[in-house]
Amino acid sequence: MNDAGNIKGVNYDDLPLRKLGKYFWLAWFTASMGQFVDAYDTLIIGAALLYLKPLWRLTPVEIGLLAASAFIGVALGAVLFGPIADRMGRRLLYIYDLVFFVVFGALSAFVTNFWELFTVRFLLGIGIGGDYSLSPTMVAEYAPARRRGFALASMNSFWGIGSVVGFLSAYGMAVAWGNTNPDFTWRFMLGSEAIWGLVVILLRMGILESPRWAALQEQLGRRVREKATDVVKKMTGGREASFDPGVVRKPSIKDLFAGKMWITTIFLWVWWPVADIAFYGSNMYTPYITKGLGLTTTELSFLASALYWAIALLGYYTTAVTYDIFGRRFVTILGSTIMGIDMFIGFALYEMKLFSTSLAFPLVMALFTIYYYFMNFGPGPFTVAMAEIWPTRVRATGQGLAAMFSRFGAAFASFYMPVLINQIGYDGAFILLGGAILFVALWSYLFMPETKGLTPSQIEQMVLEGRIGIFS
């Protein structure tokens, strides 16, 4: 272990979260709000498409391209911002990455055709991509190893909160203007994103540099704006504490393939895009799917979507409480398996034509509440928790590259879901979602590293030696 400053006494990585000061929770909250705006964007474009489809006479291919446009930008932003953050620091990029979100979110309210909207959503996605590499990195490096799982899983819960707020906002706008002025409705939906982005930027202005990254730079003889020990003292309420910043070395992308770490890198590059087929294939088209399965009005589909996401929020908090007890691997395998079974039950119910009866509403509610609960008490939180796996010196690069690959799955699901439903119906959607997430369960069983309670140096040693999954 490389203890920053070799301070005797308190070990920061052994501290419970209740021993940390208000500043830690401010830093955690500002990172969590990155999850919020990502979810809000994902859900609000799905709602807006219900109005855009008849107004612009969009084809299924055009709907898919608009849904996928931001994800293409995310892939670019994640892979660009990550390496810069590993070399120059996390703080400034962390504060200003969402400028893209504000500017192009506002501009999306004023577009006049398909290609203009596709372009501004692509550019908006670049800022979100930067946050994909930075927000989980900040929490993974700020949190003590002992309760890092709680910090990361509860951070991911803001994706659920953003989903609920997105759907309720869409419901309110639909009730207010949907029938009388649908053109204004979708424009207001998309333009509202800029407000949330601006709020997050203002909140992040007071956040300091990552202490683990700063400690590495100090040990490499480089000057930093904030000393690592000073940041830790701010988080502990003034107490000095030692901590493990990770193995001291200059950053290199080769570190992602050193020793047997290449196995973990490939595991994550496959795991996340396949998981995102199951995540975004349902998340983005929730109103679209629920309306098609029997909820007859746009407003009712928004309200139902908000309701089962609100219930499913409990899944995040179940994960937060248990992540440092059961571990990441067990929770992921359990949730993925139940999600897959749930979708194949949905397929069977669809084939029995029960969604055409008076049972449509309770069946849709039950299916998707279970699906989202176990997405959140399951594989969902690992999309941010995987940030703890990468060595500190290349953490943002590793997380950014993994996020880039994940967008391939998200873009595929976003583009292909309306095409699939149009071509072969909702039974094909159930099979795609269920099959993808059952693969995630198997892949996690085979290769997922278990990182609960381990410090950065211990995690790096474990993956270098290939002690992961069934080989641990």
Side-chain angles (χ1 to χ4, degrees), residues 295-327:
L295 305 190
T296 55
T297 69
T298 301
E299 293 85 353
L300 185 59
S301 70
F302 291 157
L303 191 59
S305 301
L307 180 57
Y308 53 65
W309 256 108
I311 297 170
L313 265 174
L314 297 174
Y316 286 115
Y317 302 116
T318 309
T319 300
V321 171
T322 60
Y323 231 20
D324 293 311
I325 301 171
F326 297 147

Side-chain angles (χ1 to χ4, degrees), residues 146-321:
R146 175 179 172 183
R147 294 293 280 153
R148 189 176 54 235
F150 180 92
L152 287 164
S154 55
M155 167 197 176
N156 192 227
S157 73
F158 276 65
W159 216 101
I161 295 170
S163 300
V164 173
V165 172
F167 279 129
L168 290 179
S169 299
Y171 173 74
M173 296 171 202
V175 169
W177 310 295
N179 293 324
T180 58
N181 195 344
D183 184 69
F184 175 80
T185 303
W186 74 261
R187 292 180 186 278
F188 194 86
M189 284 179 177
L190 297 184
S192 66
E193 295 183 279
I195 300 171
W196 290 112
L198 184 60
V199 168
V200 177
I201 290 172
L202 293 174
L203 286 171
R204 290 181 176 181
M205 297 295 286
I207 300 304
L208 304 178
E209 185 55 80
S210 156
R212 299 187 199 268
W213 182 86
L216 287 187
Q217 306 315 304
E218 291 175 42
Q219 294 188 40
L220 288 170
R222 297 172 178 167
R223 291 199 304 172
V224 292
R225 176 173 173 169
E226 294 105 9
K227 289 186 176 181
T229 51
D230 292 339
V231 180
V232 170
K233 284 174 68 176
K234 193 170 179 67
M235 289 195 293
T236 59
R239 290 183 297 169
E240 292 187 339
S242 61
F243 63 95
D244 176 15
V247 177
V248 180
R249 196 178 301 157
K250 291 182 179 180
S252 170
I253 196 170
K254 294 179 181 178
D255 292 332
L256 303 180
F257 302 94
K260 292 185 178 179
M261 187 161 186
W262 67 269
I263 301 174
T264 297
T265 297
I266 298 301
F267 159 73
L268 293 170
W269 286 0
V270 173
W271 186 96
W272 202 353
V274 177
D276 269 359
I277 292 174
F279 296 166
Y280 284 91
S282 58
N283 287 344
M284 181 164 285
Y285 293 108
T286 299
Y288 190 81
I289 293 171
T290 53
K291 187 178 178 183
L293 289 176
L295 305 190
T296 55
T297 69
T298 301
E299 293 85 353
L300 185 59
S301 70
F302 291 157
L303 191 59
S305 301
L307 180 57
Y308 53 65
W309 256 108
I311 297 170
L313 265 174
L314 297 174
Y316 286 115
Y317 302 116
T318 309
T319 300
V321 171

